[in-house]
Amino acid sequence: MWKIKYRGKVIEVSGCDRNEIIGKYVKNKNVLDIGCVGQLELSDDPSWLHGFICRHAKSVLGIDLSEKGVAALKDKGYNVMHGNAETFTLTKKFDVVVFGGTLQEISNQGLALDNIYNHLAGGILILTNPNAACWWKIKDMIFNIQHRLDDIAHSLHDIGTLIHILDRHNFQIEHVYYYHSTRSLLCRFFPILSDSIMIIAKKK
């Protein structure tokens, strides 16, 4: 574990097992899972995120922009609805909002974060996102390899840009985690080079 400073606040940073950490925060809570479809083809895998959340939380509502994916999850018995992270409106507020791997795909990221803020009942936001500073992206830049085309459609973030955008939209960062570090021996010693970032934040 190491620490970074942002505007006088010390933020702890460490590597982690994603689901282990998320399980601690969603246990017995009322949870909103935005971008719940995820990798639908893995929905029968115990590690699939939305299913994992449903097994640990008190109640879960999932929202996703994919109508096809939402229909498939409804057929499996999940409590999900079609909606846009920027514009969905619910009368209920939640203890925890999980925003998993979706921020980089959204046109107006600030609007989505403001919407999440309005649906949190003083609880926490769990945000996961691909790491723009992961080891293989740095390798591509060093060796002048063309960046992967699937990144063009995404607005990737590193830890600095994520902290800034969350701060601008009234979230206070509590902890930063890196995960998917087992893909490279280097990441075991330097988790900051891992594929993905997870931030635990609270409303200011």
Side-chain angles (χ1 to χ4, degrees):
M1 180 182 292
W2 68 101
K3 298 179 180 180
I4 56 176
K5 286 186 177 181
Y6 180 74
R7 295 189 176 181
K9 176 179 172 59
V10 176
I11 302 170
E12 293 184 343
V13 182
S14 59
C16 76
D17 176 280
R18 181 195 67 174
N19 283 11
E20 180 181 353
I21 298 298
I22 290 178
K24 293 178 181 179
Y25 284 102
V26 303
K27 186 176 181 180
N28 298 324
K29 301 293 185 180
N30 297 312
V31 179
L32 176 64
D33 183 14
I34 302 175
C36 61
V37 172
Q39 294 175 296
L40 184 59
E41 68 278 9
L42 300 179
S43 60
D44 293 325
D45 188 311
S47 65
W48 178 62
L49 183 57
H50 186 68
F52 178 85
I53 294 170
C54 289
R55 291 194 300 274
H56 289 77
K58 179 180 179 181
S59 68
V60 183
L61 172 62
I63 293 181
D64 203 283
L65 192 59
S66 169
E67 293 186 58
K68 183 178 179 180
V70 166
L73 291 185
K74 284 185 176 179
D75 288 343
K76 289 176 174 285
Y78 288 102
N79 179 29
V80 295
M81 60 176 281
H82 174 256
N84 187 319
E86 301 169 47
T87 58
F88 74 88
T89 302
L90 302 170
T91 56
K92 179 180 179 180
K93 294 192 176 185
F94 299 83
D95 302 319
V96 179
V97 173
V98 178
F99 198 22
T102 304
L103 180 69
Q104 78 276 6
E105 300 176 1
I106 292 176
S107 297
N108 193 327
Q109 298 178 359
L111 183 60
L113 290 172
D114 289 341
N115 200 20
I116 289 171
Y117 185 95
N118 292 333
H119 285 86
L120 264 176
I124 66 164
L125 165 65
I126 302 174
L127 172 72
T128 69
N129 208 74
N131 179 19
C134 70
W135 69 273
W136 54 266
K137 290 184 181 295
I138 293 175
K139 180 192 69 174
D140 285 357
M141 289 187 287
I142 291 175
F143 293 100
N144 198 29
I145 300 171
Q146 184 176 358
H147 289 297
R148 292 158 173 79
L149 293 178
D150 59 353
D151 289 342
I152 295 175
H154 299 89
S155 302
L156 299 184
H157 290 279
D158 64 9
I159 182 57
T161 58
L162 281 175
I163 288 176
H164 281 293
I165 192 172
L166 286 167
D167 180 61
R168 287 200 302 270
H169 292 275
N170 297 309
F171 285 97
Q172 176 177 305
I173 290 79
E174 297 294 310
H175 201 112
V176 175
Y177 296 96
Y178 287 89
Y179 63 98
H180 287 168
S181 59
T182 57
R183 297 184 184 183
S184 169
L185 182 61
L186 179 65
C187 295
R188 296 183 184 181
F189 296 98
F190 301 98
I192 197 169
L193 299 177
S194 299
D195 288 2
S196 301
I197 303 171
M198 178 164 62
I199 292 181
I200 308 299
K202 293 183 178 180
K203 296 172 70 170
K204 288 185 181 178

